[in-house]
Amino acid sequence: MTHQLGPRLHRLPLGGFQAYLWLDDDGATLVDTGPAGSGPAIEAALRGLGRARADVRRVVLTHFHDDHAGAAAEVAAWGDVEVVAHAADAPVLRGERPGPPPAFTAAERELHARVAAGLPPAPPVRVDREVVDGDLLDLGGGAEVVGTPGHTDGSIALHLPRHRVLFTGDVAAEYEGQVIFGVFHTDRARAAESFRRLAGLDADLACFGHGEPALTAARDRLRAALPTLAPA
């Protein structure tokens, strides 16, 4: 089952995790893929929207973590699918080297043990296009890649200014109705600076890696969370 967030935007719940689907006239883009084994659920979601897996033309991975990139190899095998990721995370996604672990706080260590229990590792996946901050993708009338280092070195967000939509990855999240600073960062100070950058973007709707999307006033809700960050 999908949740429609806008005329071209759908949220795909995937076993406690989620991905997002953007539909253009010439094909679909997945933003993240959920954990390994999510391919059949993604295909079923596409069928429910009157689409097929052949309609997926692109996968954009916000970062290499298993709950975001786990099913990327499954989807990439469907056909002519371009896999897009930041150049800094691409070697990890390909399986060429391990990714750096988060710098857990004491509270995060216990939380991570709970939420990651049973999460399968992401199989290696090819990366067809390596992007960096400021690159443009041909979706939604032009999507800007926003570098958000700190969660991982190659974390990215996507900003669709024409539609005022922002895909934040895991730098930001939602919890109990509030937009919050994300967790499990490799570098909290850099991640906080990335959050500040996201709060400066013009967006009505924000799609978080975890939690409910902000369907209105996304920029204001991000800005409201700024006082919770460590001083710049």
Side-chain angles (χ1 to χ4, degrees), residues 4 20 23 31 40-41 52 82 84 87 91 95 97 101 138-139 141-142 152 156 167 169 174 176 192 205 208 211:
Q4 185 165 5
Y20 294 94
L23 301 176
V31 180
E82 180 186 47
V84 180
R97 61 174 175 81
D138 182 22
L139 68 122
T152 66
I156 59 172
F167 299 93
E174 182 275 339
E176 295 185 345
L205 194 159
F208 306 110

Side-chain angles (χ1 to χ4, degrees), residues 205-228:
L205 194 159
C207 298
F208 306 110
H210 299 277
E212 296 294 322
L215 300 179
T216 59
R219 179 169 61 179
D220 291 341
R221 294 182 65 186
L222 285 160
R223 287 178 172 175
L226 290 176
T228 68

Side-chain angles (χ1 to χ4, degrees), residues 4-88:
Q4 185 165 5
L5 307 179
R8 297 180 179 271
L9 178 61
H10 298 261
R11 177 189 178 200
L12 280 57
L14 298 169
F17 302 99
Q18 58 194 7
Y20 294 94
L21 183 69
W22 182 270
L23 301 176
D24 280 315
D25 293 340
D26 60 349
T29 296
L30 272 170
V31 180
D32 292 326
T33 64
S38 296
I42 296 171
E43 186 173 4
L46 287 163
R47 285 199 304 270
L49 296 170
R51 301 287 182 125
R53 67 186 195 179
D55 292 319
V56 178
R57 57 183 291 223
R58 181 188 297 107
V59 170
V60 180
L61 298 174
T62 61
H63 59 292
F64 70 76
H65 285 162
D66 297 331
D67 53 329
H68 290 257
E74 298 169 64
V75 177
W78 286 353
D80 187 18
V81 180
E82 180 186 47
V83 180
V84 180
H86 192 280

